[in-house]
Amino acid sequence: MAETKVPEVRDITRIERIGAHSHIRGLGLDDALEARQVSQGMVGQKKARRAAGIITKMIQEGKIAGRAVLIAGQPGTGKTALAMGMAQSLGADTPFTAMGGSEIFSLEMGKTEALTQAFRKSIGIRIKEETEIIEGEVVEVQIDRPATGTGAKVGKLTLKTTEMETVYDLGTKMIESVTKEKVQAGDVITIDKATGKISKLGRSFTRARDYDAMGPQTKFVQCPEGELQKRKEVVHTVSLHEIDVINSRTQGFLALFSGDTGEIKGEVRDQINTKVAEWREEGKADIVPGVLFIDEVHMLDIECFSFLNRALESDMAPILIMATNRGITKIRGTNYSSPHGLPIDLLDRLLIISTSPYEEKALERILKIRCEEEDVEMTDDALAVLTKVAMETSLRYAIHLITSANLTCRKRKGTEVDVEDIKKVYSLFFDQGRSAQFLKEYQQEFMFNEQTESSTMDTS
């Protein structure tokens, strides 16, 4: 007797981690691109959000390719949050790549190669192709095992549309697909002729009376009309970088999984650009300019900046969004100072969005949203104290205190974080201001202390 194999059943659990910006769902704008006070996780910063909304609109209409935006503001004023909001409101179809400015120095390739790869990851190509499909409602599925118990199975599949009905003989591979997809009479299916892939569209409305036996998640669809065989346009979206990797000879498409792409030759990219231009002419492909977000952009050096100047002018450029919290500071790799640590000729090409410090009310709302995100119950008094801490120290420090205060609350078997919990963690963990004060008081005890007696007198 043939041994029957029990298919392995796995429970797939989505692991959701709470990050610093996991509460942001979009920019929180209305139809007129006006910023709502609190919406989609965004609070305050109305001017900056409105500006970001206009940029997002321009990106969606394809009118800003090759331009760049700089989000500049003090630390903790929501620059990264603004970029994340833009990414969320653009939707999943627009490629979005985020990187830190210092990342390119740690990769095993040239700086310009790393930037080129980041640029090309952010440009999507929508490739259209026509395929032949068979679409119809299953009337009957018949799979017979030979009486001898050995040999290939044979099967027949009867499909119909509103106008015609046909019986198809099934080969071994198709029988496996039909069994795997659990195709039964009454299902509306499509079969891709090139690959033999079967997709279920749903149950036919004629079977609606069996609803009770199926459950609420069953989707009902109309029986297809016209011919059984149809031509259908399928759209795939891939990034230019993925095409580069597949066509570079190092490891082929396997490099996509290992992440070890190495440097890609310029000739390969030129050939791909030519091919993509041909596809555009023929209407086979569209280019989707995505977004490249570089945080802490002042960490790039002068060579990277001059590369960006050149790269932004090419016709294959994504929308570049950069963020920095620096004032007038040295451009890395030179002895010259410049606003935001960026060269003047690059600043000239940028639209600059400025973020401003949050007011007390906005801070309270942000902390409330973070409490909800982190599943922390907090009393109104504790929230008021935490808001005061945020005003005097920084928003980031106050957000860090939420989880630690929740832990001290659970330790004393409490259900809501109270003022005492906030006070306790405030005394346990120093903020940057108190830490600096501590250093001034006890500087002699620390190693490699560089402050002289005279400078100590000046600071005090």
Side-chain angles (χ1 to χ4, degrees):
M1 192 178 131
E3 192 183 322
T4 54
K5 272 194 177 179
V6 179
E8 191 181 333
V9 178
R10 282 187 191 173
D11 278 346
I12 297 172
T13 314
R14 276 189 69 201
I15 299 171
E16 286 193 6
R17 290 201 58 199
I18 294 171
H21 300 102
S22 54
H23 60 286
I24 287 165
R25 315 268 181 264
L27 283 169
L29 305 171
D30 59 20
D31 294 338
L33 295 184
E34 287 293 338
R36 302 188 189 96
Q37 183 57 35
V38 180
S39 177
Q40 294 184 319
M42 289 294 236
V43 180
Q45 296 292 4
K46 284 191 169 182
K47 244 175 137 179
R49 275 161 58 202
R50 183 141 198 256
I54 291 167
I55 299 287
T56 309
K57 194 84 180 147
M58 287 163 81
I59 293 171
Q60 283 166 340
E61 289 175 9
K63 292 185 178 162
I64 195 180
R67 310 251 192 105
V69 179
L70 177 69
I71 305 171
Q74 299 162 23
T77 51
K79 297 181 294 296
T80 312
L82 208 59
M84 298 304 265
M86 288 171 87
Q88 296 277 17
S89 51
L90 283 169
D93 209 26
T94 309
F96 180 85
T97 313
M99 65 183 289
S102 52
E103 255 180 60
I104 62 162
F105 298 104
S106 60
L107 298 164
E108 294 172 359
M109 58 180 88
K111 292 177 284 193
T112 52
E113 172 66 20
L115 278 172
T116 307
Q117 288 194 11
F119 260 62
R120 289 175 77 90
K121 276 178 195 168
S122 315
I123 301 168
I125 306 287
R126 253 193 223 113
I127 302 166
K128 301 170 192 153
E129 60 178 14
E130 274 202 343
T131 56
E132 284 210 345
I133 59 159
I134 299 167
E135 186 177 64
E137 182 189 325
V138 179
V139 180
E140 191 185 4
V141 185
Q142 203 178 353
I143 297 170
D144 298 323
R145 275 216 177 99
T148 53
T150 54
K153 293 178 187 173
V154 288
K156 283 190 170 62
L157 176 69
T158 313
L159 287 180
K160 69 164 187 179
T161 62
T162 48
E163 292 167 24
M164 61 188 291
E165 187 171 313
T166 311
V167 180
Y168 292 97
D169 283 328
L170 301 178
T172 320
K173 209 169 179 190
M174 284 303 291
I175 289 174
E176 278 175 24
S177 297
V178 167
T179 320
K180 194 179 171 190
E181 290 294 326
K182 299 188 176 71
V183 173
Q184 55 192 36
D187 286 344
V188 176
I189 62 166
T190 63
I191 303 171
D192 188 333
K193 279 186 80 174
T195 59
K197 186 175 181 291
I198 297 176
S199 311
K200 270 194 198 179
L201 301 180
R203 296 282 292 165
S204 170
F205 270 114
T206 53
R207 304 281 174 145
R209 64 176 183 276
D210 303 339
Y211 177 77
D212 291 339
M214 296 175 204
Q217 70 279 359
T218 311
K219 187 177 162 192
F220 287 101
V221 290
Q222 292 286 0
C223 178
E225 294 175 3
E227 295 277 321
L228 272 163
Q229 294 200 25
K230 297 185 179 80
R231 291 188 77 77
K232 194 179 183 186
E233 198 173 70
V234 183
V235 179
H236 311 281
T237 307
V238 287
S239 73
L240 264 182
H241 176 67
E242 285 168 351
I243 301 175
D244 290 350
V245 171
I246 290 165
N247 286 287
S248 71
R249 296 276 166 182
T250 42
Q251 286 167 302
F253 78 99
L254 291 173
L256 283 173
F257 304 106
S258 64
D260 179 23
T261 53
E263 297 214 3
I264 294 166
K265 292 190 182 80
E267 305 90 80
V268 172
R269 289 204 171 108
D270 290 342
Q271 284 173 358
I272 288 164
N273 289 354
T274 314
K275 196 72 190 158
V276 168
E278 275 177 31
W279 287 347
R280 281 177 76 188
E281 291 287 319
E282 294 164 13
K284 276 186 189 174
D286 291 329
I287 288 185
V288 188
V291 176
L292 171 59
F293 173 56
I294 305 178
D295 209 352
E296 309 288 337
V297 73
H298 50 262
M299 294 302 292
L300 298 182
D301 61 11
I302 191 72
E303 294 154 22
C304 297
F305 289 132
S306 57
F307 172 80
L308 286 180
N309 278 341
R310 176 74 192 84
L312 283 172
E313 286 173 354
S314 91
D315 55 350
M316 287 284 199
I319 293 91
L320 181 62
I321 297 176
M322 303 183 273
T324 178
N325 54 21
R326 296 293 159 99
I328 294 169
T329 183
K330 271 188 184 173
I331 303 166
R332 196 167 167 178
T334 71
N335 290 323
Y336 297 103
S337 292
S338 171
H340 312 300
L342 272 68
I344 301 292
D345 58 340
L346 179 61
L347 279 171
D348 205 25
R349 289 175 161 84
L350 307 178
L351 290 167
I352 301 174
I353 299 174
S354 184
T355 56
S356 49
Y358 289 106
E359 294 163 1
E360 191 168 348
K361 255 188 171 175
L363 284 175
E364 190 175 340
R365 282 311 307 252
I366 292 168
L367 290 168
K368 205 169 183 179
I369 288 168
R370 288 303 305 174
C371 284
E372 286 166 15
E373 182 73 10
E374 295 179 31
D375 262 351
V376 175
E377 297 283 332
M378 192 176 282
T379 63
D380 293 344
D381 291 349
L383 190 64
V385 171
L386 197 60
T387 309
K388 204 158 185 57
V389 169
M391 286 290 286
E392 287 170 12
T393 58
S394 74
L395 174 61
R396 282 198 180 110
Y397 174 69
I399 286 172
H400 286 316
L401 292 188
I402 294 173
T403 309
S404 40
N406 187 38
L407 287 170
T408 57
C409 164
R410 273 161 50 190
K411 194 162 184 272
R412 65 173 176 81
K413 303 279 194 291
T415 52
E416 281 187 314
V417 172
D418 213 339
V419 179
E420 290 308 311
D421 300 314
I422 302 289
K423 281 183 179 172
K424 186 163 187 184
V425 289
Y426 182 72
S427 65
L428 283 173
F429 303 109
F430 277 15
D431 59 273
Q432 164 251 327
R434 280 184 297 159
S435 182
Q437 186 61 43
F438 180 79
L439 285 178
K440 276 182 192 168
E441 286 174 26
Y442 297 100
Q443 57 181 317
Q444 300 307 327
E445 278 78 16
F446 282 90
M447 286 176 70
F448 309 123
N449 172 51
E450 287 179 8
Q451 276 196 308
T452 58
E453 283 297 318
S454 60
S455 64
T456 318
M457 299 293 284
D458 295 339
T459 50
S460 53

